[in-house]
Amino acid sequence: MTEKKVEKKAELKISGMTCPTCVITLEKKISSVEGVKDVQVNLGTETASVTYDTGTVQLADLEKAVKESGYEVINERAVIKVGGMVCASCAETIEAALRGLDGVVEAWVNLGIERAYITYNPRIVTIADMKRAIEDAGYQYLGLEGEDNQELEQKQRERDLTDKMRRIFVGFGVAIPLMVLMYVPLIPMSILPYFMFIVATPAFIYLSYPIFLAAFRALRNRVLNMDVMYAMGIGVAYVASVLGTFRIVLTTEFLFYETAVMLAAFLTLGRYLEMRAKGRTSEAIRKLIRLRPRTATILRDEKEIEVPLEMVQVGDLIRIKPGEKVPVDGSVTAGESYVDESMITGEPIPTRKSEGEEVIGGTLNTNGVLTIQAQKVGKDTVLAQIIRMVEEAQGSKPPVQRIADTAVSYFIPVVLGIAFFSFTVWYLLLGNTLLFSLTALISVLVIACPCALGLATPTAVTVGLGRGAEFGILIRRGEALEIPEHLTTVIFDKTGTLTKGRPEVTEIFPFGVSPETLLSIAGSVEKNSQHPVALSVVREAVRRGVIFHETKAFDTIGGKGVIAQVLGENVFIGNRALLQDRSITLSSGKEEVIQGLEEKGRTVILVVLDHDVSGVIAVADTLKETTVDAISALTAMHIKVAMITGDNTRTAKAIGSQVGIDTIIAEVLPRDKAREVKRLQDSGEVVAFVGDGINDAPALAQANVGIAIGSGTDVAIESGDIVLMRDDLLDVVAAIQLSRKVMGRIKQNLFWAFAYNAALIPLAAGVLYPFFGITFRPEFAGLAMAMSSVTVVSLSLLLKGYIPPVRRMG
């Protein structure tokens, strides 16, 4: 049957067009796609209006043509909360319903956190269309991610759980007495079938109605899912019982009333337990959301006014009393207090905050009264960014998920084939009884479960990333979970990563001038720079009370130093590379002084006045307290560690020997760090790069996994695959250990999900019956099915208590 052709018009928003030639290129490329009737590209509005046959070409084909031309289609992304999903097949049903909407480019459903991620063209399809598609498929639209509808979602979940529990009580309340009647002759056999029919039918209808409704909706959407299989299993059991009761084709041997009701009860019980367990997987996100206070006390004309949090604007003065939460990100303008930031950074000890220091929204003011000025509000706060990052990461698909996706897509047709094949073999080929063959058919239909496969990855990812957030370890995408398992090398940037990033002047060696003059000239030039080494020279000059002079023609030479004019003289301040650029040579005496300092691990600043080295200023940066422990822990994990720095080789090696790093990559300009990472990757290494996220962005992006380390508000949240909120190198080790643990749990989940189906489906089909007389009763098959999903979700929930070994050491 050929698909009916419908002519539609789509408007695509295009980026990257710059001239009329772009228009011609696009129109030519899109027109070449089979099924396209008309194309009009507007350079002014940057849109392409395309008329096409939906039976021949899809929206994705048009977008592909645009991308192949070198341009991009601008789409929007929506994250929709969905209720009523119970298995991997439900996710497939919703995906099919959403993808069937014209204008939806991509749709993926995360069963673990019950979210649908949709990329769509807003000029063709709307959120209202998606809502209707979800509801028509038999599921609940619970709003968009980011909307304040947590209570709605919670109430809906509680309603579903209460409804399921009520049905479970009815089911077991009827099934157990019926099972007793099958073995204890309390009612004469002549009237027993009719009694069971009268008692079981209302309970069966009440209990199985949601299953049959879901199966009907799935079939209407042309999807074979688990509800279809369950409906077939319990439907066959019930219909056979009715036929047996009234002796239509079958006899009273075929009474499965208690089996049909108990099966439906077990299926509902499994979904109840699964729903409860799944509800706990997103607990970390809900905890983060609960950190936001609902109101804030702002100061207007010296009066305190309590307003909803949404009303706070940048620049407002906010008063925070002891025991209250900080409502938004800001800086302290008055007061002094200790603030508990553990919920954001994982740092257990409250931090003292006073005038001029920054506070993070969601943290707890413990003992004093603070007045702060709001700097970031709403979606711009650190807490909002953390929540958004964790939610996006939980919604991403690690590559390992493809294994489960592939298995689920083939699962139901294969199981249906096995069920009917087992019936055919037992009844037609081996001549067994119809009763036995029908029992085997029902058992196979109800024992098979792709739900465990569908839940194996998303539940582990959701719980694991949430656990990481509790430790201040933010894993920005699910893909980053897989890489640490294969890491061979971790490269640390030196300044601000291995060291505190606040160097201090240790020695001054003037040549032909006084120390004060040397420091006065150097400080006058360096006060124009924000480099940590430059700031250390300025601090020392201020401490000694030297005079600063006016500078002219200040310029920075990347990775080498600075130049300026002071008191009419040209001044160069920098490293050896700057001297080489300017063809300035060093006398043997000066070289000896410099080498001695470098061997002690000092960073050497050379001060040149009119092409003569007039002095040397030595600077040392203190190592962080946990640097040595972190390097030792990584080495113990058989991961190679390297240090990259702009320092000269001698200084770099001296620092490397202090921390236990043998591989030193020295004299590297900031822009060349990414090239060094690439060089290691080309030699077969799987590389993690650890930097402060400020000037390391290219290297962080080049690495297999980029780890940005910071201290709460200072961290560049967008810069790494993994972002560490605390300025603690042990968290690098903890992030790798957590990632490996989550991946181990995913593999464990997948193993049990595959093993369960591989072992029990043949058992239900009766493979062991000829040898050992072992069969699997349908009601026990239903219980086993229910337990498989609960087992996988429970294994994932164990991650909630996981503490990385390096954290336990502390």
Side-chain angles (χ1 to χ4, degrees), residues 494-501 621-629 659 692 709-710 726-729:
K494 191 204 80 172
T495 305
T497 303
L498 292 174
T499 63
K500 290 182 178 178
D621 195 356
T622 312
L623 291 170
K624 292 177 182 174
E625 290 81 359
T626 56
T627 296
V628 175
D629 290 339
V659 299
D692 58 17
I709 186 166
R726 297 198 311 167
D727 196 8
D728 185 345
L729 284 181

Side-chain angles (χ1 to χ4, degrees), residues 38-270:
D38 182 56
V39 184
Q40 290 186 0
V41 177
N42 188 317
L43 181 61
T45 59
E46 295 186 307
T47 58
S49 183
V50 186
T51 305
Y52 63 101
D53 283 334
T54 56
T56 308
V57 65
Q58 299 299 317
L59 189 64
D61 300 321
L62 302 178
E63 294 205 2
K64 184 181 177 185
V66 173
K67 289 179 180 178
E68 286 176 351
S69 302
Y71 307 96
E72 289 293 327
V73 177
I74 301 173
N75 289 314
E76 291 187 13
R77 194 165 188 258
V79 182
I80 296 176
K81 302 176 185 179
V82 182
M85 290 192 291
V86 292
C87 70
S89 302
C90 298
E92 279 194 345
T93 303
I94 295 170
E95 286 173 357
L98 290 170
R99 286 171 185 157
L101 293 173
D102 201 33
V104 170
V105 179
E106 186 182 29
W108 178 64
V109 174
N110 185 319
L111 177 62
I113 55 175
E114 299 180 308
R115 299 289 187 272
Y117 298 83
I118 304 109
T119 304
Y120 68 102
N121 185 327
R123 287 158 292 281
I124 301 175
V125 66
T126 65
I127 299 296
D129 296 328
M130 298 177 205
K131 175 179 183 287
R132 194 158 45 248
I134 289 168
E135 290 175 345
D136 286 348
Y139 302 91
Q140 295 133 17
Y141 171 90
L142 299 178
L144 290 171
E145 190 71 83
E147 292 179 348
D148 189 15
N149 49 22
Q150 289 292 315
E151 288 184 16
L152 170 67
E153 196 175 356
Q154 188 62 28
K155 284 179 181 176
Q156 182 63 49
R157 186 182 299 277
E158 287 171 2
R159 238 190 335 263
D160 283 350
L161 287 171
T162 303
D163 178 66
K164 282 181 171 58
M165 182 52 71
R166 197 180 295 120
R167 292 177 194 273
I168 289 164
F169 277 129
V170 170
F172 285 116
V174 171
I176 291 171
L178 289 179
M179 185 171 281
V180 171
L181 288 175
M182 289 296 292
Y183 297 100
V184 181
L186 299 176
I187 296 177
M189 278 303 296
S190 57
I191 62 171
L192 179 62
Y194 303 103
F195 175 81
M196 293 182 78
F197 169 75
I198 292 168
V199 172
T201 298
F204 179 77
I205 293 171
Y206 174 65
L207 195 56
S208 63
Y209 172 74
I211 299 169
F212 281 102
L213 181 63
F216 167 73
R217 284 170 169 163
L219 290 172
R220 190 178 64 187
N221 284 289
R222 299 180 182 180
V223 175
L224 276 177
N225 67 6
M226 289 311 297
D227 289 302
V228 174
M229 287 177 58
Y230 298 155
M232 287 175 66
I234 60 178
V236 167
Y238 179 76
V239 170
S241 303
V242 173
L243 293 176
T245 298
F246 297 100
R247 294 176 176 80
I248 304 169
V249 181
L250 303 178
T251 67
T252 51
E253 276 186 307
F254 293 84
L255 293 184
F256 293 110
Y257 287 118
E258 84 289 356
T259 299
V261 176
M262 190 166 280
L263 265 178
F266 272 132
L267 293 173
T268 309
L269 174 64

